[in-house]
Amino acid sequence: MTDLHAPAGGVRRALFVAAILGGSFLLFLVQPMVARMALPRLGGAPAVWNSAMLVYQALLLLGYGYAHWLGRFRVRTQAGLHLGLLGLAALWLPIGLGTMQVPIGAEPAWWVPWLLVAAIGPLFLAISAQAPLLQRWFAVASHGRDPYALYAASNIGSFAGLLAYPLLVEPLLRLRSQSWLWTIGYAVVALLVLGCASFLPRNDVPPQPRTDRAATVARDWAGWIALAFVPSGLMLATTTFLTTDIVAVPLLWVLPLGLYLLSFPVAFRSSALLDDLLERCVPLVLLLFGATLVAGDSRLAYVNALIGLVLLFAVAVACHARLYALRPPPARLTGFYLAMAVGGALGGVFAGLMAPVLFDWTYEYPLLILAAGLLIPQRALTRKLAGLWAGRYRLPAAALLCVLVMLIVWAAFDARLLGPMHDQLGFVAIAGLGLVAVGARWPFTVALAGGLFLFGGYTAIETSLSGARTRSYFGVYTIGDKPDQRRLAHGTTVHGIQLKGARARRPTTYYQAGSGVGQAMLAAPSLYGAHARIGVVGLGTGTLACYARPGQDWRFFEVDPAVVHLARDTGAFSFLRLCAPHAQILVGDARLRLSALPPGSLDLLALDAFSSDAVPMHLMTVEAFATYGRVLSPEGLLLVHISNRFLELAPVVAGAARAGGWQGLRLVHVPSALERQDEGAVSDWIALSRSPRALAALKSRSGEWRPLVAEPGFAGWTDDHASLVPVMRLFRPAGD
């Protein structure tokens, strides 16, 4: 009988694997696809993306809750209900946002959920429920076989979707084609689910009410939620930490999320060897890499990024392996996955929404490392140490270790005791105690906390107490004060430098008089008269304000209220106060704000939103440039700042210029020795105008201006089609 049924069993398993994998693949395609559709309409303000994240998390939880609710019915009834939901949700295909327009100044907390739920709510709900639901069906259809291994298919599908969208789907297909591709995929997945349902027995016994004690269920749920919370939160915290304090590489967020997803297939399997390795090695990784990464070293940015990714993967595999070890029988499977979804959502809310409000630095990162130290299984490195932590002397040993950690931390701050290498010697001593403590959760966590505090944590706390740092949903801003200057850094990128004393009004960095924007600002009075109307997208420290002249009308457009506070309200920078005290500052997405202005409202518009290596794509599309052209006067100038370490943005601007009928010049300015003394930086600016006279006036000021040349075959970005991959310097020929 076994041989006769083996082929059918293989087909059944393959069908379930394909359905689960396909559904997860679609789930990770639909989120970035809808985000790209919504970006031009909603803008890129923090409230928009916070609301979007909450919508996705809520729909995912609803999907898992719906799968759990279906568990009270016979599996055939479950199949009928779920197929009915898939059919009903198909009415929302193909995916699109319709014609609904969001009013200017509308509250994102209301409009974002309404728009996203109306666009994908039923589809997202139906697809998100399938991983736990189909695993439960598989257990019934295969007469009790372990369904948890199928969860690997779900995460492999998610990982494939994660990579496919930015690398293949977005570069190759327009949004409308992406929507139709998703529609075809949805139909295929629905057919696969129908095939899975055909294997369900007709005489299935209805589920019996469970008699588990409430205390047992609550304890199980608490453990599952905690073990899901830490890796989910650490994944987001690692992404924030790497892109804020290490290196702001575009698409870097793909790596932490990809490793998080890959940890499930590795962990969700029975392996004594894997368990032994995790229990012995992951505590060492936490102890050695955690403190090293928190300390940071800008000279070793890519090494630190690699360390952070290794640490995340190790913690995620350890926590998820523990989840697998604590998995319940298949009858409680949907509740198990619902608890995991709750933990993952809470981790995301903590690291993505609460941390930027609670902390002025990425403190969530070391906190989650400490939580991992408490949660992951540990095994002592030697038999003698295992006996120590299991014997009657474990409490005195733990107390002694804690005292030693505190003494070492104190001694490390006194260079007279340990000499010039006091920090390093202190960390080595604490690391040694941590190795001894592996296998004992609380003593190990105390040693880990000592290492984190000593090797980076103390410096972070000291900076926070000084008031030199501010955090928003866009990142961490740090004010550096020197005798002759004050600078604002956004993570690893300098956003502005103001000199002190008599040079306080002097424009610095990318904005000096020899730069493209500097020359345009100096030409404005002769081009547009004494009452020129100037707009600047991106406030920074307000450096450009010092080109303002009496009678001119200046407006700044800034998406981040924290930047406005730093530039205008704290007193740290005085460009605005000294040079343009009456300049208007409009907070919000620049494209939406500009679209609300009357035609011909500005004579010169400087677009300075791309120098921090994170490019708001919706500000660089053909449609966005049409908005800029509408608000500029017929003789108006548009200055676009494209200095960027990782992206070659000139083809994007040239494509938009060609589509909009602009003429263009480009100036790459290398500061002279004298300019470098005033903190000059290499800058790359493009000037666009529909007026040959305006461009000729610029060219007459400097022979450095060169014609803007369009790249053959590159059409530029549109709201319907844009991708970072073709313009990443990593993928472009040398010399571009």
Side-chain angles (χ1 to χ4, degrees):
M1 292 294 292
T2 303
D3 292 337
L4 290 174
H5 285 76
V11 171
R12 178 181 59 224
R13 182 181 177 86
L15 198 60
F16 275 92
V17 167
I20 292 173
L21 190 148
S24 298
F25 181 83
L26 291 179
L27 206 59
F28 267 73
L29 282 186
V30 74
Q31 296 182 50
M33 184 174 71
V34 172
R36 282 279 292 109
M37 291 178 179
L39 188 58
R41 200 174 300 186
L42 297 174
V48 171
W49 301 113
N50 293 345
S51 299
M53 178 180 173
L54 287 175
V55 169
Y56 289 138
Q57 294 285 9
L59 288 173
L60 185 67
L61 283 176
L62 281 174
Y64 276 61
Y66 155 74
H68 184 56
W69 171 79
L70 282 181
R72 67 186 63 198
F73 303 108
R74 296 174 183 266
V75 288
R76 279 274 174 171
T77 305
Q78 295 177 28
L81 291 172
H82 187 61
L83 288 168
L85 177 61
L86 288 171
L88 179 65
L91 297 176
W92 273 255
L93 295 172
I95 292 173
L97 299 183
T99 58
M100 182 174 61
Q101 294 295 324
V102 179
I104 299 296
E107 176 54 51
W110 161 249
W111 279 98
V112 173
W114 171 254
L115 196 65
L116 294 182
V117 170
I120 61 166
L123 293 166
F124 199 98
L125 176 69
I127 292 293
S128 64
Q130 288 191 177
L133 190 60
L134 291 180
Q135 287 178 69
R136 178 73 182 91
W137 292 2
F138 176 79
V140 174
S142 60
H143 307 292
R145 288 187 62 183
D146 186 1
Y148 286 99
L150 296 185
Y151 196 53
S154 172
N155 288 280
I156 291 173
S158 299
F159 180 72
L162 172 70
L163 292 182
Y165 190 82
L167 299 182
L168 294 174
V169 176
E170 188 177 45
L172 297 177
L173 299 175
R174 298 182 178 275
L175 283 174
R176 183 170 178 81
S177 299
Q178 294 174 27
S179 180
W180 279 108
L181 175 67
W182 202 92
T183 299
I184 294 170
Y186 183 86
V188 171
V189 168
L191 290 174
L192 290 171
V193 173
L194 180 62
C196 293
S198 69
F199 284 101
L200 297 176
R202 297 182 181 276
N203 57 348
D204 177 49
V205 178
Q208 299 298 316
R210 300 196 57 85
T211 59
D212 300 307
R213 290 193 305 169
T216 302
V217 173
R219 185 182 66 247
D220 290 344
W221 272 64
W224 298 335
I225 289 172
L227 287 166
F229 175 95
V230 169
S232 171
L234 190 62
M235 180 268 295
L236 286 176
T238 299
T239 305
T240 302
F241 189 74
L242 293 184
T243 55
T244 297
D245 282 8
I246 306 299
V247 57
V249 177
L251 300 181
L252 182 63
W253 59 269
V254 170
L255 295 179
L257 182 54
L259 290 175
Y260 170 79
L261 293 172
L262 286 179
S263 69
F264 284 102
V266 174
F268 269 51
R269 62 178 65 196
S270 298
S271 171
L273 176 61
L274 176 65
D275 292 343
D276 185 65
L277 284 173
L278 292 175
E279 291 172 6
R280 294 181 187 276
C281 296
V282 176
L284 303 183
V285 172
L286 274 178
L287 189 65
L288 300 178
F289 285 178
T292 301
L293 191 60
V294 170
D297 189 337
S298 59
R299 296 168 298 178
L300 302 172
Y302 293 98
V303 174
N304 287 334
L306 179 61
I307 288 174
L309 295 173
V310 170
L311 181 60
L312 168 64
F313 187 67
V315 170
V317 171
C319 288
H320 294 152
R322 183 59 180 162
L323 271 170
Y324 181 73
L326 297 176
R327 67 193 186 281
R332 294 180 61 196
L333 177 145
T334 53
F336 172 69
Y337 284 123
L338 178 58
M340 284 179 58
V342 170
L346 291 176
V349 169
F350 169 68
L353 298 181
M354 295 176 61
V357 176
L358 297 174
F359 309 130
D360 68 352
W361 184 64
T362 50
Y363 286 109
E364 67 273 19
Y365 189 80
L367 289 175
L368 287 164
I369 290 176
L370 287 175
L374 281 174
L375 285 176
I376 60 173
Q378 298 184 25
R379 186 175 301 179
L381 300 180
T382 67
R383 190 170 298 175
K384 288 186 177 181
L385 289 175
L388 170 66
W389 297 117
R392 59 179 178 173
Y393 297 110
R394 64 183 183 278
L395 292 179
L400 177 62
L401 185 140
C402 293
V403 171
L404 288 175
V405 168
M406 289 187 287
L407 288 174
I408 291 170
V409 170
W410 171 76
F413 286 109
D414 194 334
R416 294 171 299 176
L417 296 177
L418 298 179
M421 300 290 289
H422 53 101
D423 283 348
Q424 292 82 352
L425 291 174
F427 177 71
V428 169
I430 287 181
L433 291 176
L435 294 177
V436 172
V438 172
R441 293 179 187 276
W442 285 104
F444 173 81
T445 305
V446 169
L448 179 60
L452 293 172
F453 179 78
L454 184 60
F455 215 55
Y458 175 77
T459 304
I461 294 173
E462 194 174 42
T463 305
S464 294
L465 293 176
S466 72
R469 194 159 49 205
T470 301
R471 184 175 181 183
S472 75
Y473 287 108
F474 286 95
V476 176
Y477 303 97
T478 305
I479 298 173
D481 203 359
K482 294 183 178 181
D484 63 333
Q485 64 179 244
R486 186 173 287 123
R487 61 177 57 206
L488 177 67
H490 179 198
T492 59
T493 302
V494 174
H495 261 282
I497 297 175
Q498 184 170 26
L499 304 174
K500 293 184 177 179
R503 300 186 298 168
R505 295 173 181 260
R506 192 167 299 175
T508 57
T509 62
Y510 310 107
Y511 315 108
Q512 288 190 317
S515 68
V517 73
Q519 294 186 29
M521 293 292 183
L522 293 174
S526 60
L527 278 171
Y528 309 114
H531 300 288
R533 299 161 299 172
I534 312 293
V536 178
V537 175
L539 175 61
T541 56
T543 310
L544 285 175
C546 282
Y547 286 106
R549 296 293 178 264
Q552 291 182 344
D553 177 21
W554 276 68
R555 279 177 259 192
F556 287 92
F557 302 86
E558 175 57 51
V559 72
D560 191 353
V563 171
V564 177
H565 176 69
L566 288 168
R568 184 184 62 188
D569 304 330
T570 63
F573 300 96
S574 57
F575 285 123
L576 287 173
R577 177 172 54 82
L578 294 174
C579 304
H582 303 297
Q584 185 181 9
I585 300 177
L586 302 174
V587 179
D589 183 81
R591 181 170 167 180
L592 297 180
R593 286 289 189 179
L594 286 165
S595 67
L597 295 181
S601 299
L602 299 171
D603 297 310
L604 190 153
L605 177 62
L607 201 59
D608 182 34
F610 318 115
S611 60
S612 66
D613 302 314
V615 177
M617 296 172 70
H618 70 299
L619 298 185
M620 294 284 277
T621 64
V622 170
E623 293 84 354
F625 276 75
T627 298
Y628 310 146
R630 188 188 64 81
V631 299
L632 283 171
S633 62
E635 297 284 314
L637 271 172
L638 174 65
L639 275 295
V640 186
H641 191 193
I642 62 168
S643 304
N644 197 288
R645 289 174 288 184
F646 303 106
L647 301 173
E648 175 54 61
L649 295 172
V652 178
V653 179
R658 181 172 53 192
W662 303 78
Q663 300 178 49
L665 297 173
R666 182 179 181 182
L667 191 155
V668 179
H669 179 68
V670 179
S672 65
L674 185 62
E675 288 174 317
R676 285 197 295 271
Q677 291 179 8
D678 286 341
E679 296 297 332
V682 176
S683 63
D684 194 350
W685 287 87
I686 291 175
L688 299 178
S689 181
R690 295 191 174 99
S691 167
R693 185 180 77 89
L695 292 178
L698 276 187
K699 202 166 184 178
S700 67
R701 301 186 67 89
S702 171
E704 293 181 302
W705 288 99
R706 295 289 182 268
L708 178 64
V709 179
E711 183 174 300
F714 193 94
W717 291 347
T718 67
D719 288 347
D720 191 48
H721 188 221
S723 172
L724 291 178
V725 173
V727 297
M728 290 183 70
R729 298 187 189 275
L730 179 66
F731 302 120
R732 298 179 66 82
D736 279 13

